[in-house]
Amino acid sequence: MAENHKLWGGRFEAGLEKWVEEFGASISFDQKMAEFDLKGSIAHVTMLGQTGIISPEEASQIKTGLEELLQDFYAGQLEFDIANEDIHMNLESLLTQKIGPVAGKLHTARSRNDQVATDMHLYLKAKLVEVLDKLHHLRQTLVDLADKHVDTIMPGYTHLQHAQPISFGHHLMAYYSMFTRDSERFTFNQKHTNLSPLGAAALAGTTFPIDRQLTSDLMGFDAPYSNSLDAVSDRDFILEFLANASILMVHMSRICEEIINWCSNEYQFVTLSDTFSTGSSIMPQKKNPDMAELIRGKTGRVYGNLTGLLTVMKSLPLAYNKDLQEDKEGMFDTAETITVAIDILAGMLSSMTVNDRHMAESTEKDFSNATELADYLAVRGLPFRQAHEIVGKLVLECTKNGHYLQDVPLERYQEISDLIEGDIYTALQSRTAVERRNSLGGTGFDQVHWQIEEAKKTLMSDK
Ligand code: ARG
């Protein structure tokens, strides 16, 4: 019978069969946490030394070994073995090869359960900083573009039908607001990620006189978790991240969908730069918005990762269960997906050409000024419902005659209502329609300028 050489092999007579071992192993993916595992171990051993749980000499020997492993890792020289199951046991085994049996003292007063939770917190803590940084850049990109296009008129849509003319800057600032709330959500997520599970040990804490505050400080966490069972059992900081990422992807998929529409032949509102477009292998004329489509598509995998982990966590009894090993791939994948997607979106936005003339012209061959006429009558005393009815009838008449409201002669207007005078034609212009929507948060140019100024201040203070 094969002897069991695992780090936990003492109570076993037989070893695992290869295929069973492969099923249980996580090293193929949890090696992404190597750096954090080493840093967590460095904090742990520093604490073991300072509290006298192990001797200062032993602590410094182990620390030196771990620091060397960290250098080996940065140099791409660490080799992992599936027989060592996961990143924690792989690194302990590499440490043993380096410094001998004293390496075995590292795991005093610690379990893989608090170790893995610590690694996950450290990984996400670093990723959240990166995500927030990238979101800041995306928000800045939107504000810069909006600033250039306050005066660019476009059709505002409801039901994908021309509704009322708006400022393109206003449209962009809507997304700025969404991405700002996304940033706030990720910032809140930091609060729950910046806690140290280390020292919870397997589930119940330890009999050794450890100093959890010290390891928490050494790793740059805000505080240690106050309940050891909670520290090793929950993954809500990851669920929160996946939920936040899903909402972010909702927003990114919406602007990407709009970009895809805008660069179609039907709209021609924007032209994507060559660097963010691809061609077709058969149709020589094609220039496809692949990157926008891909962000839209990747939304699916991020939702999938959220649903996956919610399902893993559901009804899981306390404390650690191996099910929790399934928390990693979705988190890594989501973090990697969103960080690139945010950059791609920002790059696409800042490099695209806005066909402002075409955008504005498309509000002149439609009835998106119908509300202006109704409001014109209402301001002059006609009940809005009646005004709505009159304008509706006039729109119908125009569609039959093949022209628009601005083409209706003044005599006809005055037959319809004696409230209408020559200034109606100015009121019907898209620019006037936008300019006059100056209610708080409306598309009026002053309001858009105000939003942009506020956003600039927020971006400065968010830095
Ligand atoms: N690879 C494991 C995971 O990712 C580490 C923790 C293992 N703990 C245990 N008691 N088996 O969850």
Side-chain angles (χ1 to χ4, degrees):
M1 208 178 287
E3 230 186 290
N4 193 315
H5 295 294
K6 301 284 183 212
L7 286 177
W8 39 255
R11 62 98 63 223
F12 289 80
E13 285 178 339
L16 287 180
E17 282 189 47
K18 188 94 186 108
W19 66 282
V20 179
E21 183 175 87
E22 276 169 13
F23 182 71
S26 53
I27 187 61
S28 63
F29 50 88
D30 67 10
Q31 52 182 279
K32 281 193 196 298
M33 306 191 303
E35 182 182 357
F36 302 112
D37 197 77
L38 289 166
K39 287 181 173 166
S41 288
I42 289 172
H44 183 64
V45 79
T46 306
M47 181 279 292
L48 290 179
Q50 284 193 24
T51 50
I53 296 172
I54 64 174
S55 75
E57 298 74 41
E58 289 165 338
S60 90
Q61 237 183 310
I62 297 172
K63 200 169 165 184
T64 308
L66 289 167
E67 276 159 358
E68 280 175 32
L69 284 178
L70 202 53
Q71 293 317 314
D72 295 347
F73 167 75
Y74 291 138
Q77 282 165 358
L78 288 188
E79 276 187 31
F80 303 118
D81 181 357
I82 194 157
N84 285 321
E85 193 179 321
D86 59 22
I87 188 61
H88 324 294
M89 293 196 293
N90 265 277
L91 289 172
E92 190 177 323
S93 143
L94 289 168
L95 183 69
T96 311
Q97 285 167 33
K98 230 185 227 309
I99 63 170
V102 67
K105 296 217 167 186
L106 170 62
H107 214 52
T108 314
R110 185 176 76 168
S111 153
R112 272 188 296 157
N113 298 350
D114 59 340
Q115 189 179 355
V116 71
T118 303
D119 293 3
M120 303 283 285
H121 281 75
L122 285 171
Y123 173 92
L124 195 58
K125 187 167 161 345
K127 278 292 170 193
L128 282 170
V129 172
E130 200 180 323
V131 169
L132 283 166
D133 196 49
K134 288 179 185 299
L135 273 176
H136 190 278
H137 172 64
L138 173 62
R139 288 157 65 211
Q140 184 72 58
T141 304
L142 282 162
V143 170
D144 292 346
L145 197 60
D147 214 358
K148 283 193 206 129
H149 290 287
V150 176
D151 288 338
T152 303
I153 311 283
M154 73 180 285
Y157 295 83
T158 60
H159 313 271
L160 214 56
Q161 306 285 320
H162 285 202
Q164 290 170 346
I166 58 171
S167 144
F168 183 49
H170 191 55
H171 197 103
L172 294 168
M173 288 306 288
Y175 283 110
Y176 163 82
S177 300
M178 295 178 215
F179 292 126
T180 299
R181 288 192 297 275
D182 286 324
S183 296
E184 287 167 6
R185 274 183 280 271
F186 285 116
T187 304
F188 190 62
N189 199 173
Q190 286 184 312
K191 178 175 150 71
H192 298 147
T193 306
N194 284 356
L195 293 176
S196 170
L198 196 62
L203 73 162
T206 174
T207 53
F208 287 98
I210 57 170
D211 185 344
R212 294 194 58 210
Q213 186 64 51
L214 174 61
T215 47
S216 171
D217 291 345
L218 288 172
M219 291 184 288
F221 285 114
D222 291 341
Y225 268 86
S226 50
N227 181 300
S228 64
L229 288 171
D230 177 35
V232 294
S233 302
D234 209 356
R235 295 293 184 265
D236 57 2
F237 68 106
I238 305 175
L239 287 173
E240 204 169 283
F241 173 67
L242 298 176
N244 295 341
S246 296
I247 300 175
L248 166 68
M249 290 306 292
V250 173
H251 296 151
M252 293 215 278
S253 73
R254 293 185 76 174
I255 192 167
C256 284
E257 166 76 9
E258 298 210 284
I259 292 171
I260 294 161
N261 286 340
W262 291 341
C263 61
S264 73
N265 220 15
E266 283 65 30
Y267 285 75
Q268 298 180 35
F269 286 179
V270 303
T271 309
L272 291 184
S273 73
D274 286 359
T275 39
F276 286 93
S277 314
T278 53
S280 154
S281 58
I282 173 170
M283 296 164 284
Q285 86 285 7
K286 290 300 289 289
K287 183 170 168 189
N288 296 327
D290 278 34
M291 302 306 146
E293 292 166 53
L294 208 46
I295 294 176
R296 191 177 59 181
K298 282 185 188 290
T299 305
R301 68 196 286 156
V302 174
Y303 293 0
N305 292 335
L306 170 63
T307 314
L309 188 59
L310 282 170
T311 314
V312 167
M313 298 306 296
K314 180 186 175 293
S315 317
L316 205 60
L318 304 189
Y320 180 84
N321 299 271
K322 184 77 165 181
D323 312 44
L324 291 175
Q325 183 165 290
E326 287 294 308
D327 62 355
K328 289 172 197 61
E329 288 154 289
M331 179 182 74
F332 299 150
D333 182 69
T334 301
E336 284 160 20
T337 301
I338 65 172
T339 44
V340 183
I342 298 169
D343 277 352
I344 296 271
L345 178 56
M348 210 157 45
L349 286 166
S350 59
S351 63
M352 74 187 186
T353 310
V354 178
N355 308 327
D356 43 5
R357 282 262 301 281
H358 191 79
M359 263 188 187
E361 278 164 17
S362 77
T363 68
E364 281 151 22
K365 292 178 222 96
D366 68 5
F367 290 96
S368 63
N369 51 3
T371 317
E372 303 325 299
L373 180 55
D375 284 355
Y376 181 98
L377 292 166
V379 165
R380 284 158 184 76
L382 197 67
F384 184 78
R385 267 297 140 241
Q386 252 172 278
H388 186 287
E389 172 78 14
I390 290 175
V391 180
K393 287 207 169 106
L394 186 58
V395 168
L396 185 63
E397 182 183 310
C398 287
T399 54
K400 287 182 179 157
N401 295 337
H403 61 217
Y404 300 102
L405 291 175
Q406 56 274 32
D407 307 318
V408 174
L410 190 57
E411 305 82 72
R412 177 71 191 113
Y413 270 125
Q414 290 178 336
E415 273 167 37
I416 293 166
S417 166
D418 55 10
L419 296 170
I420 304 179
E421 292 174 53
D423 60 352
I424 185 61
Y425 297 101
T426 315
L428 288 174
Q429 283 169 13
S430 304
R431 179 157 298 277
T432 320
V434 175
E435 190 163 40
R436 298 191 54 223
R437 281 206 162 57
N438 238 332
S439 54
L440 181 74
T443 193
F445 302 123
D446 291 347
Q447 290 298 319
V448 182
H449 279 301
W450 167 75
Q451 288 179 62
I452 291 172
E453 288 321 306
E454 289 300 305
K456 283 181 183 166
K457 283 184 228 157
T458 308
L459 285 168
M460 287 285 272
S461 67
D462 272 11
K463 259 207 155 39

